[in-house]
């Protein structure tokens, strides 16, 4: 008898308070990198009713109009009406920015890691993107929810929203979608029945394939029955509070550090991207059905103190041989990773919503399969 188990993952729209803050932090990072690739950025944001607060350590030769960046992000997301309790024109923007500590710089400038820490990357053969199915479906639901809102197909939608997907597995393989949850902010006077019908037709039916649906798949739309107060008016947002949404939806291990607002000398970002790059290429090369990679660094030291690769299923190649192949193929120093993945480009605001991984879009270099042939040859 097949072993049955369930896995749930969630995602949030770009209008969720935490995701607003991630996008603000990464938009400021992009503004620095646009003119100063040597800039050092560690930028945090908080958003609440009528206020965005920016704090952190930034060392740069360029000037960034931070209030202007914040207002552009908030406007683009769709908070353009004071009736929502938060909008780009009336929100206050407060900044508290200092320079990066010279104690850190003396270790980073020669090419060392910007901090200690452990980072994980993961890949599996469940989806074409080599990502776990629950998180990919959750991301697609909220991306579709945002698309429908911005195109005007459902004029009662507002920017804040969430999704959650539960997938049933049999012997480790996904077989059906058991439960789908979509919660969306909406206008004051729309009826719950209209919201439910619109979300099912325009969002859920457009994303969840019929062949994946359990015959009794449960659909939940705004389970409390009302979601008018949302965004920063309903919940304070913080940079870096959606790290599981950003990565693999709860599958595999997680180092604990967020990505947004950090330039790539911070290995929380570059190390995690490299770990995903390695894991995805291992699976794409047919060396495993599932791969988890751990990297760890010490502040100021260029070489990782740990590279651990664990595989499951597929090839009979030992993990030690895969690890040796990766070490010979990649420069795993922060400087080497930055160069290999072209990380000194202003690409980060796009990463800050709908996941950093499984995105087969221009600029997401850590999703490229440029290591596949090298790994195949190295392990014979």
């Amino acid at each position: 008898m097949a072993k049955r188990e369930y896995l749930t993952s969630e995602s949030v729209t770009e209008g969720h308070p935490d995701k607003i803050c991630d996008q603000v932090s990464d938009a400021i990072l992009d503004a620095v990198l646009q003119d100063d690739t040597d800039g050092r950025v560690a930028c945090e944001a908080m958003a609440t009713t009528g206020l965005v607060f920016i704090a952190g350590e930034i060392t740069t030769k360029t000037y960034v109009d931070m209030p202007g960046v914040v207002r552009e992000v908030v406007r683009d997301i769709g908070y353009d009406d004071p009736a929502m309790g938060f909008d780009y024109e009336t929100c206050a923007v407060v900044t508290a920015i200092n320079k990066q500590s010279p104690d850190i710089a003396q270790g980073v400038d020669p090419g060392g890691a910007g901090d200690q820490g452990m980072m994980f990357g993961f890949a599996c053969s469940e989806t074409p993107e080599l990502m776990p199915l629950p998180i990919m479906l959750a991301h697609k639901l909220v991306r579709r929810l945002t698309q429908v809102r911005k195109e005007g197909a459902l004029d009662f939608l507002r920017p804040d929203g969430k999704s959650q997907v539960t997938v049933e597995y049999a012997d480790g393989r996904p077989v059906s979608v058991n439960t789908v949850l979509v919660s969306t902010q909406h206008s004051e006077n729309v009826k719950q029945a209209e919201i439910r019908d619109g979300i099912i037709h325009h969002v859920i039916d457009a994303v969840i394939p019929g062949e994946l649906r359990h015959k009794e798949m449960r659909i939940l739309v705004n389970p409390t029955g009302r979601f008018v107060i949302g965004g920063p008016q309903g919940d304070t947002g913080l940079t870096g509070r959606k790290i599981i949404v950003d990565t693999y939806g709860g599958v595999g291990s997680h180092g604990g550090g967020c990505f947004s607002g950090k330039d790539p000398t911070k290995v929380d970002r570059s190390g995690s991207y490299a770990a995903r790059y390695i894991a995805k290429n291992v699976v794409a090369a047919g060396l495993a059905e599932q791969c988890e990679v751990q990297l760890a660094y010490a502040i100021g030291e260029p070489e990782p103190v740990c590279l651990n690769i664990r595989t499951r299923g597929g090839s009979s190649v030992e993990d030690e041989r895969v690890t040796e192949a990766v070490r010979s193929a990649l420069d795993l120093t922060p400087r080497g990773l930055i160069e290999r993945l072209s990380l000194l480009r202003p690409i980060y605001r796009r990463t800050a919503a709908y996941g950093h991984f499984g995105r087969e879009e221009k600029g997401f270099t850590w999703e490229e399969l440029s290591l596949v042939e090298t790994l195949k040859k190295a392990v014979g």
Side-chain angles (χ1 to χ4, degrees), residues 61-78:
K61 296 174 289 191
T62 192
Y63 168 75
V64 176
D65 174 14
M66 293 190 187
V69 170
V70 170
R71 296 185 194 284
E72 180 183 0
V73 170
V74 174
R75 182 198 64 209
D76 290 349
I77 290 170

Side-chain angles (χ1 to χ4, degrees), residues 230-308:
Q233 184 186 27
D235 185 17
T236 298
L238 294 171
T239 297
R241 201 158 59 179
K242 287 291 180 283
I243 56 177
I244 302 302
V245 170
D246 286 342
T247 53
Y248 308 102
V251 177
S253 306
H254 200 288
C258 79
F259 309 145
S260 290
K262 297 176 181 177
D263 75 79
T265 67
K266 280 74 170 173
V267 284
D268 277 338
R269 180 159 231 155
S270 52
S272 295
Y273 288 178
R276 163 63 178 172
Y277 175 64
I278 294 167
K280 184 175 183 180
N281 277 266
V282 167
V283 174
L287 304 182
E289 293 179 356
Q290 190 178 104
C291 179
E292 182 176 88
V293 177
Q294 184 192 35
L295 285 166
Y297 292 85
I299 188 169
E301 293 290 323
E303 294 291 339
V305 298
C306 172
L307 168 63
N308 184 39

Side-chain angles (χ1 to χ4, degrees), residues 210-232:
E211 65 272 17
L212 274 179
R213 298 184 180 209
H214 190 277
K215 62 181 179 180
E216 298 177 354
M217 185 180 82
R218 190 180 185 196
I219 295 176
L220 300 170
V221 177
N222 283 14
T224 68
R226 181 178 171 86
F227 188 178
V228 174
I229 298 174

Side-chain angles (χ1 to χ4, degrees), residues 178-199:
N178 179 277
T179 303
V180 175
L181 165 62
V182 175
S183 294
T184 179
Q185 186 185 12
H186 56 82
S187 60
E188 175 75 33
N189 296 318
V190 64
K191 296 185 182 299
Q192 170 66 8
E194 183 180 354
I195 298 171
R196 179 179 172 85
D197 290 346
I199 295 301

Side-chain angles (χ1 to χ4, degrees), residues 96-113:
I97 302 295
N98 296 301
K99 291 184 178 181
Q100 183 186 59
S101 165
D103 296 343
I104 297 175
Q106 69 179 356
V108 177
D109 290 345

